[in-house]
Amino acid sequence: MKIKSLLSAAILAVVSWQSHATPITLDFTSLPSAQGWTFVRDAGNTEASVFSVDGHVLTMDSRIGNANGYDRSSAINPALPYVIKARSRAFDGGISMSFSFANGSKGGALYLSPNALFTVNSAGHFQLLALIDNSVFHDFQIEGDFISGYTVSVDGSVVGGGQLFNANFTELFFGDQGSAGSGQAQLSAYSFSQSDNLNVPEPGTYTLLFGGLVALVNVTRRETRGLKRGVLKSCIHA
């Protein structure tokens, strides 16, 4: 019974671990509004007039209006850490692509212009994070929590951190927020995940985990058999 309980507990732990780490991703064969995202716009703009997909890339031209993007606020769990990964570029205009998140109390954001990265400080003002050529694609990662803030990595290297600002709203947004100019940008990869353990194991780790569990079960069985033999011998010699 103990072996069965051990197996059940391990399997449940792995399933829970894996489900927590399931990310929200984008498919570039259809617009995000067909994938559970809500199109956010200035009055008069249509989604098709601002965004387009070609199977590999989402292209945004927000020069016809300031605020254009997508929100999926229902995806936010206010209590859990988060990781946002995006491959993007901003090749025209001002700050034309942003990635923002808020849990109803605190929020953060990363903004891309063609030549720089910006965050927002605790007072709600833009803050230069790094000078970088964003006219070419880069891999961006935002990782943190809603208590201590977050770090920003570009192409695998940390370039700085971001502060949290007060936010009485919940959002998971990407696009042009219209707060500092408009322009053109592209997105070729996006994922958002939350977990109480964001260090998600690789598939091979699961194999090692189960292999170790099987070895543990075998050892437990041998010890149990040895104990039974010892008890039997004691009874015979008594």
Side-chain angles (χ1 to χ4, degrees), residues 8-235:
S8 298
I11 291 170
L12 286 173
V14 171
V15 170
S16 176
W17 197 358
Q18 197 170 26
S19 64
H20 276 164
T22 301
I24 294 172
T25 59
L26 280 180
D27 180 343
F28 297 95
T29 60
S30 63
L31 290 172
S33 61
Q35 303 176 53
W37 294 80
T38 300
F39 174 54
V40 180
R41 63 178 182 174
D42 269 351
N45 292 343
T46 64
E47 183 179 16
S49 67
V50 180
F51 291 96
S52 61
V53 289
D54 64 4
H56 304 283
V57 172
L58 174 72
T59 298
M60 178 187 72
D61 185 350
S62 62
R63 292 174 297 177
I64 64 171
N66 284 330
N68 298 277
Y70 295 94
D71 178 63
R72 195 164 179 171
S73 57
S74 61
I76 292 281
N77 184 323
L80 293 180
Y82 48 81
V83 173
I84 296 173
K85 296 180 180 181
R87 182 166 178 78
S88 184
R89 71 182 187 124
F91 56 92
D92 180 65
I95 297 177
S96 53
M97 176 62 80
S98 66
F99 304 95
S100 60
F101 43 93
N103 72 345
S105 176
K106 296 291 184 178
L110 177 67
Y111 292 84
L112 282 65
S113 76
N115 57 11
L117 292 177
F118 299 86
T119 58
V120 177
N121 62 26
S122 58
H125 302 305
F126 281 105
Q127 183 169 300
L128 177 65
L129 181 65
L131 295 175
I132 181 173
D133 180 10
N134 285 321
S135 65
V136 297
F137 279 102
H138 293 286
D139 292 312
F140 301 97
Q141 178 170 301
I142 306 165
E143 182 173 3
D145 57 50
F146 290 108
I147 298 174
S148 58
Y150 54 95
T151 59
V152 176
S153 300
V154 180
D155 297 329
S157 299
V158 175
V159 297
Q163 301 175 358
L164 297 174
F165 52 83
N166 292 328
N168 60 355
F169 54 88
T170 302
E171 77 170 6
L172 178 62
F173 177 91
F174 68 87
D176 186 348
Q177 293 197 357
S179 51
S182 300
Q184 294 175 286
Q186 290 182 315
L187 185 66
S188 64
Y190 178 92
S191 71
F192 169 80
S193 60
Q194 286 187 280
S195 173
D196 49 11
N197 188 346
L198 286 171
N199 295 317
V200 182
E202 297 294 329
T205 304
Y206 290 117
T207 302
L208 291 175
L209 175 63
F210 282 112
L213 184 59
V214 169
L216 177 62
V217 169
N218 289 334
V219 169
T220 303
R221 283 176 173 169
R222 285 196 297 269
E223 289 179 350
T224 302
R225 289 169 183 166
L227 179 61
K228 288 179 178 179
R229 292 192 191 102
V231 171
L232 181 59
K233 287 181 180 179
S234 298
C235 292

